[in-house]
Amino acid sequence: MARLSLDDYADASGADGTPAASGADAAAAARGAGAAGDVRIDDPGYLVGVPDEFQRLWTPHRMVYIQNGQQPGADDCPFCVAPTMSDEDALIVARGTHAYALLNLFPYNSGHLLVCPYRHIATYDEATPEEIAEIGSITQTAMRVIRQVSKNDGFNIGMNQGAIAGAGIAAHLHQHIVPRWAQDANFLPIIAKTKALPQLLGDVRAAIADAWPKD
């Protein structure tokens, strides 16, 4: 699409000396000035709404949560589906016998991992001793690997049990491992509800998976 400036709208005066159209009329005239579908109006004076100082961060991938709700159905749990996919497609960094680790698709920080049992259970008290032991072992290994790869200064580790407690996927147990740096908090999360993530998920997954100890 062509980007229009004010010069591409109606002239300051028409050919007969009459004032040029303004507002919606000028916008309509501008749309007719070029080929169909060839025009984009980029001057806020010709758009609907009141301009302000805010930037808009468009996140269409979150429509799945808005349209369907945060809690998936019993047959489409993402933590049950992920192990059936390739490591790259599911963002899995390590697989164990009873549990596995994968990147959070909506990370708080780069390297934000989730440790999940393969079994579809909701809360920690439903886990077997073997599942608990492997979740703990994978968590310890993840901490060592992330520290080696990312040189972070600390971690937030925890589980949200149930939707009322803030669990995004309440039906499938998962533990968060969030690396933290001494100066990783800035004004964006506080005033703009936005996190700046310097690495792409695929690159983070590859770095952690490559550094994960091989059996």
Side-chain angles (χ1 to χ4, degrees), residues 70-87:
Q70 286 193 334
Q71 302 301 326
D75 297 329
D76 58 355
C77 170
F79 297 140
C80 290
V81 173
T84 70
M85 303 166 61
S86 70
D87 288 356

Side-chain angles (χ1 to χ4, degrees), residues 17-201:
T18 59
S22 62
D25 293 335
R31 285 194 294 273
D38 191 32
V39 168
R40 196 196 94 175
I41 298 172
D42 64 354
D43 178 66
Y46 291 93
L47 302 180
V48 176
V50 179
D52 56 38
E53 70 276 15
F54 291 104
Q55 298 294 321
R56 270 66 182 179
L57 179 63
W58 302 105
T59 56
H61 55 276
R62 296 197 65 88
M63 281 302 295
V64 65
Y65 285 88
I66 297 170
Q67 291 175 336
N68 301 325
Q70 286 193 334
Q71 302 301 326
D75 297 329
D76 58 355
C77 170
F79 297 140
C80 290
V81 173
T84 70
M85 303 166 61
S86 70
D87 288 356
E88 290 78 10
D89 288 342
L91 299 175
I92 292 174
V93 300
R95 299 176 188 249
T97 303
H98 305 285
Y100 68 100
L102 76 169
L103 288 183
N104 189 342
L105 186 60
F106 303 105
Y108 183 79
N109 271 343
S110 293
H112 181 169
L113 288 182
L114 304 173
V115 183
C116 310
Y118 294 112
R119 204 162 56 96
H120 188 75
I121 56 175
T123 55
Y124 195 59
D125 58 309
E126 298 179 56
T128 65
E130 293 78 15
E131 288 168 336
I132 292 172
E134 191 159 54
I135 289 172
S137 176
I138 290 176
T139 297
Q140 286 186 320
T141 301
M143 292 175 65
R144 298 183 186 111
V145 171
I146 293 172
R147 191 181 293 115
Q148 172 190 336
V149 170
S150 300
K151 305 297 188 293
N152 60 300
D153 302 305
F155 294 92
N156 290 119
I157 296 177
M159 300 180 181
N160 299 321
Q161 306 282 286
I164 194 65
I169 308 295
H172 198 125
L173 181 67
H174 54 283
Q175 176 166 274
H176 294 263
I177 305 174
V178 182
R180 301 300 304 268
W181 288 264
Q183 299 181 8
D184 68 4
N186 56 36
F187 67 92
L188 283 174
I190 298 170
I191 69 170
K193 297 296 183 183
T194 302
K195 279 295 296 185
L197 300 165
Q199 288 182 290
L200 297 176
L201 288 173

